[in-house]
Structure formats: C-alpha cells, structure tokens
Amino acid sequence: VQHHPEIGWVEHDLEEVWLACVWCIEQVMSELDKEKYQLSCIGITNQRETTCVFNTSGTPVCRAISWNCTRTESIVRRDHSRIEEMSKKRTGLPIASYFSATKLAWLREKQNWIFNDESQILFGTIDTFLLYRLSGKFVTDVTNAS
C-alpha cells in the first residue's frame, strides 16, 4: 500500500511490507510437503531506491520514502552545484531526487529526531529491512549498494 501524505510524496509503511512478506512465507510453508521439501532460500525483489530507516531491533522509525517520492527535489536544486560533481565521480550519475542519499538528507533536515541515537539507527532499502528482520543481519544485494 502506498501512502500519499502530501502531493508528490510517496511512502510505505514498513510494518505493512513486513506483514505481507510474512504472509507470503506462511502461504508457501502451508502448501509445502515438508516430508519431501524444506524451504532453503527466498528471493526478494524491491524498489531499489526506496529508503528505510529502522532501529537495531528491526522496528521502523518512520515510513519508507519511495523511490518516486518528489519531496527531495528542493534539496537537489539547492545543493546541485555543491554535490553534482561528487555524485558523478562516485556513481557516474547526476544527483536526483530518487536517490536514497537525498531522502536521508531530507530526513536529517526535516525529521532529525530520528537520529537522536544514531548508534541505534540503520538505513537501507526494502531488501535491507526485510533481510534484517528475517536474519538479524544488516546486508544488502551488491546491485542495490552500487
């Protein structure tokens, strides 16, 4: 489910995402002939630049900001000349509002209470959040990290 608290804003409730993941796993497990098969892996597809902030116990501290949310366009316009060269040098891409970094910058500016105890805060994409909840490990797929 997408949430649109303001025009151009797109968010996801990470608990809703988690519950959908759990439901899918439960459905597979309920239909699996456990005498013949056992679940050994899962595949996760995600929206790559959707930004999640959660604490070290796996609890979301805010809604995920979707890849297509436009709330960070003002940050991109304001900081373009200062960070464009660095962005292109490090990533090969121009700075844009769909990148996770601009979303994290927006959260730092507009909801900085989230970072009151930075030692307890984790930041990643949907796959990072789900893998952390499933395994307790803070990891991502290399294609998301690149």
Side-chain angles (χ1 to χ4, degrees):
V1 175
Q2 290 187 333
H3 301 273
H4 304 274
E6 293 190 29
I7 294 172
W9 290 25
V10 185
E11 300 176 342
H12 297 280
D13 182 319
L14 289 171
E15 286 300 330
E16 290 176 357
V17 172
W18 170 248
L19 291 174
C21 179
V22 169
W23 181 85
C24 288
I25 292 170
E26 287 173 346
Q27 291 300 114
V28 169
M29 295 303 292
S30 71
E31 296 179 23
L32 188 67
D33 181 348
K34 293 170 193 74
E35 302 267 331
K36 293 181 182 179
Y37 307 101
Q38 68 181 32
L39 187 64
S40 61
C41 66
I42 62 169
I44 298 175
T45 185
N46 68 329
Q47 299 174 342
R48 297 179 69 110
E49 294 294 337
T50 295
T51 302
C52 306
V53 181
F54 50 99
N55 65 27
T56 54
S57 64
T59 303
V61 297
C62 60
R63 284 184 175 165
I65 301 176
S66 182
W67 66 272
N68 58 341
C69 183
T70 60
R71 76 182 70 187
T72 66
E73 287 179 353
S74 62
I75 291 173
V76 172
R77 282 192 301 277
R78 181 193 71 204
D79 297 343
H80 183 271
S81 63
R82 184 175 59 83
I83 59 179
E84 178 71 11
E85 186 177 325
M86 177 187 64
S87 176
K88 282 186 177 180
K89 189 175 189 177
R90 290 185 180 176
T91 68
L93 299 169
I95 193 69
S97 64
Y98 62 86
F99 288 133
S100 298
T102 62
K103 293 168 181 56
L104 193 59
W106 185 91
L107 287 168
R108 280 201 166 282
E109 288 182 17
K110 306 294 185 183
Q111 297 181 352
N112 74 349
W113 59 267
I114 290 170
F115 304 97
N116 284 346
D117 187 358
E118 288 185 345
S119 68
Q120 300 298 308
I121 297 299
L122 301 170
F123 157 74
T125 53
I126 296 281
D127 68 315
T128 308
F129 169 71
L130 292 175
L131 289 168
Y132 191 80
R133 273 278 184 90
L134 289 166
S135 71
K137 295 178 183 175
F138 187 66
V139 296
T140 191
D141 180 84
V142 68
T143 60
N144 279 346
S146 62

